[in-house]
Each structure stands twice: as C-alpha cells, then as structure tokens.
Amino acid sequence: MSGALAAAEGTLVGFFSKRHHGVFTHMGSNTHFHVVLPERPLMGHVDAVTLARGARVLLPAR
C-alpha cells in the first residue's frame, strides 16, 4: 500500500549516517525515515516531509 497524506500528526523515526548508504539508508542518501500514525493506525516509509511551525524535533546528544 502506498499513498500521500496532505496532513497528519504522528512520530517520525529516522536514521542518519554518512557511512551506511545502501545499508540502512538508500543509496546516495544520508537519511532514512519512517512515520508512526497512531490515529490511523499506520506506519511506513517517508520519502518527503514538511514540518508544521512549532513541531518538536528531538535529536540525540552528541
């Protein structure tokens, strides 16, 4: 199943690595994201996202 959502509230879970192209990121990309939408309930891969003003982004400490 695939599709697009104009708007949704959920949790993005992502990975960033400059060394793992084709391992857990796509070839040529440093990132890989999934979204969890508890109201639907759905989860899946994210190709593009725009965050709403006021959205919280939590990143691990270095």
Side-chain angles (χ1 to χ4, degrees), residues 32-43:
H32 185 95
F33 289 97
H34 281 245
V35 66
V36 179
L37 303 171
E39 293 179 13
R40 302 247 189 242
L42 290 171
M43 63 92 45

Side-chain angles (χ1 to χ4, degrees), residues 3-53:
L5 297 173
E9 187 170 324
T11 301
L12 283 174
V13 179
F15 303 93
F16 175 87
S17 176
K18 292 182 179 180
R19 300 180 316 211
H20 293 93
H21 293 197
V23 178
F24 58 81
T25 68
H26 294 286
M27 289 302 293
S29 176
N30 293 333
T31 60
H32 185 95
F33 289 97
H34 281 245
V35 66
V36 179
L37 303 171
E39 293 179 13
R40 302 247 189 242
L42 290 171
M43 63 92 45
H45 177 74
V46 175
D47 289 322
V49 65
T50 301
L51 299 176
R53 182 181 302 261

